[in-house]
Amino acid sequence: DVPGATEIATGADGDLDPNDPRGGHACAIVAQGKVLCWGNNRSGQLGRGTTSDEEAAPAEIAGLTGAVEITAGAELTCARFESGAAACWGRNDHGQVGNGQTGAAISSPVPIAWP
């Protein structure tokens, strides 16, 4: 239970066995469209600017406000904002973040590069 959450999204971790205790990650939208994330962070999917095995406590993504929708996938998280813009962070080996590049994980939110 996340007090004040208007939306919660959970994501699995792509290469891990579903029974692995490192499981996945979760993010929630709270007051003023702020985003809190917790769980596995090996690809930076918590948006904290770092990677780590896991972060058990929810923490706010610095500078991210105005989120109205959140989604989480295999080591990836994306948010849509009141303005209609969107940003993603996390695993990017197949271009999942949407910044027009593939390769290294992106551990902080980046705007999606719309064509």
Side-chain angles (χ1 to χ4, degrees), residues 1 28 65 77 93 96:
D1 185 28
T65 60
T77 310
D93 55 332
Q96 300 94 309

Side-chain angles (χ1 to χ4, degrees), residues 7-12 25-29 35 37 45 67-80 86-89 96 112:
E7 188 167 332
I8 296 177
T10 59
H25 72 289
C27 293
I29 298 174
V35 177
C37 295
Q45 63 265 41
V68 294
E69 190 173 0
I70 190 105
T71 188
E75 299 177 40
L76 177 74
T77 310
C78 296
R80 185 176 61 83
C88 296
W89 55 96
Q96 300 94 309
I112 292 176

